[in-house]
C-alpha cells in the first residue's frame, strides 16, 4: 500500500539521485577546466595521444572523488536527520515542557504560533474539542469538519493542517486511523477555564 511515509521516502531517494547527478555534472565541468588549464600550461612538444591518455587517466581518478563527495553528503544529511529527530524528542519530552527560567509558577506563557484567544483559529479549535468530546469513538475527518463548521459558523480552509495544529496543542487528540480523529483523556478549553 502506497502511503505518505512511502511517498516521502521515495522523494528523499529522488533528491539523493538528483544531488549525485549535480555533483557529477560539476565534477565533469571541473575536470574539463583542469584539462584546459593543463593544456594551456604544457609545452607544445606533447602530441594529441598523450593528451587523450591524460584525460582518461584523470576521469578514472575523479570517480573515487565523486563517490567520496556523495558519501560525505549522505553523512551530513543523516546527521541533520538525527539532530532534527533529537530536537523533536526533546520538545515532546516532559523536561522540555518545564517552565523557562524567569517565569513564575502559576502563570502561563502563550506558545509562539498559537492563535490569540477569541480569534478564528481559537474558535475553531474550541468547537473541534467540544465536537470530539461528544463522540466516544473515532470520527471521520469530513464529518468532524462539517460539525465544527456548523457549530462555529466558520469555514476550515484545510482540515489536515488544522487537525495537525490541534494535535500539537492538545496531545490528547489522536489520529488512530487515516482520516479519523478521537479524543483520549480530558481537556479543558479556554472558555471552560474561565
Amino acid at each position: 500500500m502506497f502511503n505518505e511515509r512511502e511517498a516521502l521516502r521515495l522523494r528523499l531517494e529522488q533528491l539523493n539521485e538528483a544531488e549525485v547527478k549535480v555533483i557529477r555534472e560539476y565534477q565533469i565541468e571541473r575536470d574539463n577546466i583542469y584539462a584546459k588549464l593543463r593544456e594551456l600550461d604544457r609545452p607544445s612538444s606533447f602530441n594529441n595521444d598523450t593528451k587523450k591518455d591524460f584525460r582518461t587517466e584523470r576521469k578514472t581518478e575523479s570517480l573515487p572523488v565523486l563517490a567520496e563527495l556523495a558519501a560525505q553528503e549522505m553523512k551530513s544529511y543523516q546527521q541533520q536527520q538525527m539532530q532534527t529527530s533529537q530536537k523533536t524528542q526533546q520538545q515532546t519530552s516532559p523536561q522540555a515542557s518545564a517552565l523557562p527560567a524567569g517565569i513564575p509558577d502559576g502563570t502561563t506563557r502563550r506558545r509562539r504560533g498559537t492563535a490569540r484567544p477569541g480569534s478564528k483559529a481559537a474558535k475553531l479549535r474550541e468547537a473541534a474539542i467540544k465536537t470530539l468530546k461528544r463522540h466516544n469513538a473515532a470520527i471521520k475527518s469530513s464529518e468532524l469538519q462539517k460539525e465544527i463548521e456548523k457549530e462555529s459558523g466558520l469555514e476550515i480552509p484545510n482540515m489536515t493542517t488544522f487537525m495537525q495544529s490541534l494535535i500539537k496543542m492538545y496531545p490528547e487528540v489522536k489520529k488512530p486511523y487515516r482520516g479519523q480523529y478521537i479524543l483520549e483523556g480530558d481537556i479543558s478549553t479556554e472558555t471552560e477555564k474561565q
Side-chain angles (χ1 to χ4, degrees):
M1 188 168 118
F2 193 74
N3 58 14
E4 188 176 0
R5 180 179 295 279
E6 186 66 24
L8 291 172
R9 188 190 61 74
L10 181 65
R11 182 62 183 142
L12 282 174
E13 287 177 7
Q14 290 172 346
L15 288 173
N16 286 338
E17 290 171 9
E19 262 183 334
V20 170
K21 184 178 178 183
V22 169
I23 290 171
R24 282 185 186 140
E25 289 173 4
Y26 282 135
Q27 189 69 40
I28 290 169
E29 186 177 354
R30 188 179 294 117
D31 288 344
N32 289 336
I33 291 170
Y34 284 136
K36 289 283 185 187
L37 287 171
R38 284 189 194 95
E39 204 173 290
L40 293 172
D41 290 342
R42 279 193 204 149
S44 59
S45 63
F46 286 119
N47 61 17
N48 288 339
D49 292 336
T50 57
K51 288 180 184 175
K52 287 180 184 176
D53 290 340
F54 185 76
R55 284 184 188 151
T56 55
E57 195 177 294
R58 174 72 182 136
K59 277 189 178 179
T60 56
E61 289 174 10
S62 68
L63 289 177
V65 173
L66 176 63
E68 190 177 307
L69 285 172
Q72 288 174 352
E73 286 295 318
M74 286 299 293
K75 197 178 289 185
S76 66
Y77 174 75
Q78 289 171 348
Q79 287 174 347
Q80 288 174 351
Q81 290 289 352
M82 287 176 55
Q83 289 172 353
T84 54
S85 66
Q86 287 173 351
K87 285 180 184 177
T88 54
Q89 286 176 354
Q90 289 174 353
Q91 290 173 352
T92 57
S93 70
Q95 293 118 359
S97 65
L99 289 174
I103 298 179
D105 290 338
T107 61
T108 57
R109 185 173 173 184
R110 199 164 62 89
R111 269 188 20 200
R112 185 174 183 207
T114 59
R116 281 179 235 120
S119 67
K120 178 182 174 182
K123 289 176 185 174
L124 286 170
R125 275 197 306 271
E126 196 172 308
I129 296 299
K130 285 181 183 177
T131 304
L132 286 168
K133 280 183 179 180
R134 286 195 303 259
H135 291 273
N136 294 334
I139 180 173
K140 285 186 180 179
S141 177
S142 57
E143 293 173 16
L144 181 61
Q145 183 175 1
K146 287 175 188 173
E147 288 188 33
I148 293 169
E149 289 175 348
K150 184 179 176 183
E151 185 173 322
S152 67
L154 301 168
E155 186 179 333
I156 301 173
N158 187 328
M159 186 62 175
T160 303
T161 307
F162 169 73
M163 289 306 293
Q164 285 173 348
S165 66
L166 186 74
I167 290 170
K168 282 182 185 175
M169 287 191 71
Y170 299 103
E172 297 86 356
V173 177
K174 304 287 182 191
K175 186 177 180 180
Y177 305 105
R178 183 173 179 226
Q180 293 187 357
Y181 299 94
I182 191 169
L183 179 66
E184 296 176 351
D186 291 331
I187 296 178
S188 59
T189 58
E190 294 300 319
T191 54
E192 290 174 357
K193 289 178 183 176
Q194 295 171 352

